[in-house]
Amino acid sequence: MIIGIETTAHTFGVGVVSKGKVLANVKDMYKPTSGGIIPNMGANHHRMVAQQIWDDALSKAGCCDKDIEAIAVSNAPGLAPCLIAGLEFAKRQATRLGVSLVPVNHCIAHLEIGQSVGATDPVLLYASGANTQIIAYASGRYRVFGETLDNGIGNFIDTFGRYVGIPFPGGPVLEGKAKNGSFIELPYSIKGMDVSFSGMLTKMKQLYYKGAKVEDLAYSMQEHAFAMLVESAERALAHTGKKELVLGGGVACNSRLQEMCRIMCEARGAKMFCPAREFLTDNGAMIAYTGEILFNAGVSKKPEDVDFDARERTDMVEVIWK
Ligand code: AMP
Ligand code: MG
């Protein structure tokens, strides 16, 4: 069995995977009572819950120490204090058990778990809190075809949520409010295949200040921001000639985004894939799942040889397992 530890940002998670099957996926999320994520507070949270989450995941999976072949850990990219807290814990466990560590890039884990639901060579729309990228595999790497030039879409949505009094994470609450909203035109910003959200955020704050309803703003924000992502994803499909779209990241939980992607895919004869909700937001199972693929491809490190990299990009990782 491979254990996976997710620790890049707000979530500390432990997953257990054996032969591509997820046996447990336990997590706990640091939720600030006001304002955004404070990295050191996130790290404190991870240190506090780590052992409990580990114990719960192993007991759910019916797994004992001797079943563990290796420990995968999301060592990049993310918030440095959170990465350090999780890596320390992973190293301690690996040393105690005498097993190796498998470093996993967090973004690539979102992509790999996305492909576990049936796609073979997809374009990936990765829409999460801090990351927003349109990615496809080409010549040995996951290449970034389009990405946000400023905020990740989830952080953009959550920032607006906080502005109107909705605590983190605002995305799911705003999705509910959007159901009763009507359309207001907002800045639509797509440059080539890159997107940007800061202009839309400023405009939404101004409109709210002038009395616009949160419901209308939430609805219009989704219509504009998601259309930008779908436009870029469609261009990546057209450019690469690929016929599959996979969704990943927490914002992909949004049913309107899923619906827009489905409509686009149907219109151009492509297939859409979306993993279950528990695998869309940050989780340990996707780290374990990817870790197992890497481990089988020969990635296996001594604990002392693994470091974190807060800024490692998706296209910096050489994909030796495909
Ligand atoms: P991740 O960083 O991948 O764990 O995803 C967390 C982000 O997903 C947060 O910014 C949430 O607000 C966002 N999110 C979760 N569910 C939804 C939803 N239904 N609609 C929009 N955003 C969502
Ligand atoms: Mg994520």
Side-chain angles (χ1 to χ4, degrees), residues 59-300:
S59 94
K60 271 213 175 102
C63 163
C64 47
D65 285 356
K66 67 171 175 25
D67 301 324
I68 301 173
E69 284 180 87
I71 298 175
V73 58
S74 58
N75 70 323
L79 303 170
C82 299
L83 291 167
I84 292 168
L87 190 55
E88 273 170 11
F89 180 76
K91 284 184 177 184
R92 214 161 47 240
Q93 294 292 354
T95 309
R96 179 178 71 81
L97 297 165
V99 298
S100 60
L101 279 186
V102 182
V104 171
N105 175 292
H106 171 91
C107 306
I108 288 188
H110 275 291
L111 307 180
E112 290 295 339
I113 195 88
Q115 289 165 82
S116 70
V117 288
T120 52
D121 185 22
V123 164
L124 299 126
L125 171 54
Y126 172 31
S128 78
N131 300 289
T132 302
Q133 294 180 323
I134 289 90
I135 300 166
Y137 177 79
S139 333
R141 302 215 174 203
Y142 283 111
R143 313 272 167 189
V144 178
F145 284 84
E147 64 187 318
T148 178
L149 299 173
D150 44 39
N151 297 309
I153 182 156
N155 287 357
F156 150 68
I157 294 173
D158 297 336
T159 304
F160 177 69
R162 281 200 300 277
Y163 192 75
V164 301
I166 300 166
F168 172 84
V173 179
L174 287 168
E175 176 177 10
K177 295 205 179 280
K179 294 201 164 62
N180 306 310
S182 354
F183 190 83
I184 305 171
E185 193 168 336
L186 296 173
Y188 183 95
S189 185
I190 181 156
K191 302 162 193 219
M193 286 163 78
D194 293 332
V195 295
S196 128
F197 300 108
S198 50
M200 198 187 308
L201 180 61
T202 304
K203 183 72 182 178
M204 286 162 66
K205 285 179 172 173
Q206 287 169 349
L207 289 170
Y208 179 72
Y209 183 74
K210 287 187 194 148
K213 285 193 349 213
V214 173
E215 286 77 7
D216 294 347
L217 290 166
Y219 172 74
S220 309
M221 177 269 289
Q222 289 194 171
E223 294 304 300
H224 287 81
F226 297 164
M228 283 155 50
L229 298 184
V230 174
E231 180 181 335
S232 179
E234 182 169 22
R235 262 192 223 149
L237 286 167
H239 178 71
T240 57
K242 296 187 196 277
K243 294 261 178 270
E244 297 169 330
L245 179 70
V246 164
L247 305 191
V251 181
C253 293
N254 188 290
S255 10
R256 179 58 179 147
L257 176 59
Q258 291 182 12
E259 181 187 26
M260 283 169 131
C261 289
R262 200 169 300 117
I263 293 169
M264 180 273 280
C265 285
E266 272 168 24
R268 56 177 302 111
K271 261 179 105 171
M272 188 191 102
F273 298 84
C274 189
R277 216 161 240 269
E278 65 169 312
F279 303 126
L280 285 173
T281 47
D282 292 351
N283 66 89
M286 69 179 188
I287 307 301
Y289 181 85
T290 309
E292 186 177 52
I293 296 174
L294 269 67
F295 184 68
N296 290 338
V299 181
S300 169

Side-chain angles (χ1 to χ4, degrees), residues 13-24:
V14 176
V16 183
V17 163
S18 177
K19 299 192 176 72
K21 230 180 120 211
V22 176
L23 305 178

